[in-house]
Amino acid sequence: MSQQFDVIVIGAGPGGYVAAIRAAQLGFKTACVEKWIGKDKKPSLGGTCLNVGCIPSKALLESSHKYEEALHGLELHGVLVAKPKLDLGAMLNRKDSIVSNLTGGIAGLFKTNGVTHLAGSGKLLANKHVEFTNHQGAVEVFETSYVILATGSVPVNIPPAPLTGDLIVDSTGALEFSSVPKKLGVIGGGVIGLELGSVWSRLGSDVTIFEALDDFLAIADQQIAKESRKIFSKQGLSIMTGTLVKGTEVKGKKVSVTYSSQAGDKTESFDKLIVAVGRRPFTDSLLADGCGVNQDERGFIEVNDVCETAIPGVYAIGDVVRGPMLAHKGSEEGVMVAERIAGKHAEVNYDTVPSVIYTHPEVAWVGKTEEQLKQEGVAYNVGIFPFAASGRAMAANETAGMVKMLADESTDRILGVHIVGPAAGDMIAQAVIAMEFGASAEDIAMTMFAHPTVSEALHEAALAVHGHAIHIANKRKRA
Ligand code: FAD
Ligand code: NAD
């Protein structure tokens, strides 16, 4: 056994592949172990995000939005088209080709940066040794100075709705329906439920979402959540909060779902059922006895603020550790860890991780919600600007939603920005930058925004924090 790599990364999702590339850029001899086999039966890089997550879901969201727009959204602009037809096969093929372009792109980036892809499974042994088993079953043990665990997450399964592979599916199955289900049930009113529920609803499914909690989007600012719920319900999503699925039964080509809510127990039949109730960290066969790495009671690998485990030189990043399960959070942790290994003092600012739900309109936020500030006893000012008052939103016929800014009452520092509306996912980046620089609401209010853009709504929300918004009647007026 000889030291053949300085750094071994296990997992090539957006956490692992970014960490591997950055480590190689910094001059380390780096290998990345990845076991994923793609639809073409070949090893594939990019993890959940590129293969079955962020990318394919966004491809279908974009395509289904175009279809929906062609069906209902063009007449108002004076554009008359014959009734569009859906070619679902072409839509799914387009998604697959974007996935293979991007996963192949990571393989290219590994080559140009000198990262060795070890196709197969990795296991952490004691003393920072890594056991690698290739897809043919050959085993090799590597000695290394640093290990980065980035094995990600998998969907949570629930006993009342065991997956059947065709009728009851998880998010991966929901990217592959070969025809549009007439009636689609979704368990879980979170990010996946809303995004994939929207895709199939736009393509013609009658969608019902069963959410166990009483609050819709409990992690979001509740004013924005309520506004979003109104918008999504108007689009045809039937969202049932405070509803628990108690059991499912496959009956021929349909699945019957029994659920309980305040109105009592009910049974309803669906053509397909998606289970989207969250994801759990994935560490199967990863940690050998005696490797020294600890896990918490929910299975997350325990790390400190800079993602180091109990064993010096062994790090863990991304979905397999605490914090939001988001691709960009994992990537930033990957960069931080590679730079720390190189002796730099990188950090991740967990207070400015943006969240985006890619519905139409999008929902996006960063920082604290109003509910959190109340709970923490922080005094704050609020500025709200509705897209109904935005000229650009009117031009686009996208006037639903608002921008809401929360700023500290005494320092005026921005504490949170919450948006439902056009391009919210891109606009939130402006708020993230502002918060990274410790900006006040006044800083944004004094910044010039191009006219007419939807971003002006962020400017006006900042002005509204002090009662100075120009294009709405301010709730609180200040000189
Ligand atoms: P993963 O991407 O899960 O990658 C882990 C990799 O490790 C996998 O490739 C796995 O095969 C490999 N692996 C595991 N164990 C081993 C082992 N022992 N040996 C070798 N390899 C191993 N996030 C966003 O930020 N934006 C979005 O729009 C978004 N959309 C999503 C849509 C869907 C439908 C889903 C399911 C998720 C979405 N996410 C989104 C979440 C995002 O995909 C994850 O947060 C992200 O992929 C986590 O990155 P990661 O590198 O930690 O893990
Ligand atoms: P989620 O945590 O976003 O939502 C799960 C929802 O299911 C919650 O509202 C929860 O209350 C509900 N739930 C839990 N158990 C239930 C039950 N038994 N019956 C009914 N409802 C139940 O999880 P998700 O939508 O599965 O997504 C998984 C992860 O992937 C999330 O952490 C998310 O961050 C990530 N993701 C991100 C994006 C994005 O950034 N746009 C997109 C998709 C997924």
Side-chain angles (χ1 to χ4, degrees), residues 316-337:
I317 58 171
D319 281 10
V320 80
V321 301
R322 82 284 177 267
M325 287 182 164
L326 295 171
H328 42 281
K329 175 262 190 187
S331 297
E332 289 304 313
E333 288 178 334
V335 170
M336 169 181 73
V337 165

Side-chain angles (χ1 to χ4, degrees), residues 11 13-15 34 36 47-49 53-54 58 122 151-152 318-319 325-328:
E34 173 55 66
W36 199 288
T48 304
C49 174
C54 325
K58 265 80 253 179
T151 50
D319 281 10
M325 287 182 164
L326 295 171
H328 42 281

Side-chain angles (χ1 to χ4, degrees), residues 63-82:
S63 297
S64 60
H65 176 62
K66 288 200 186 304
Y67 177 66
E68 151 79 17
E69 210 175 19
L71 273 179
H72 305 296
L74 296 180
E75 208 174 294
L76 179 119
H77 290 274
V79 180
L80 304 181
V81 291

Side-chain angles (χ1 to χ4, degrees), residues 6-10 15-16 18-24 26 28 30 145-150 303-309 311-318 321-322 329-348 350:
D6 302 319
V7 178
I8 295 185
V9 183
I10 305 181
V18 169
I21 290 173
R22 188 70 191 117
L26 288 161
F28 295 105
T30 305
S145 304
Y146 303 97
V147 180
I148 304 175
L149 306 171
V303 288
N304 63 13
D305 284 353
V306 292
C307 290
E308 197 162 21
T309 67
I311 303 295
V314 176
Y315 295 84
I317 58 171
V321 301
R322 82 284 177 267
K329 175 262 190 187
S331 297
E332 289 304 313
E333 288 178 334
V335 170
M336 169 181 73
V337 165
E339 299 203 343
R340 288 212 155 239
I341 288 172
K344 296 174 187 278
H345 295 282
E347 284 180 0
V348 168
Y350 291 98

Side-chain angles (χ1 to χ4, degrees), residues 54 57-58 153 158 160 187-195 210-213 215 217-219 243-245 275-279 319 324-328 355-358:
C54 325
S57 61
K58 265 80 253 179
S153 64
I158 48 170
I187 308 181
V191 193
I192 293 180
L194 290 169
E195 290 187 355
F210 300 105
E211 167 58 50
L213 297 180
D215 286 335
L217 283 180
I219 55 163
T243 305
L244 207 58
V245 170
V275 182
V277 294
R279 294 176 64 83
D319 281 10
M325 287 182 164
L326 295 171
H328 42 281
S355 293
V356 181
I357 307 177
Y358 295 87

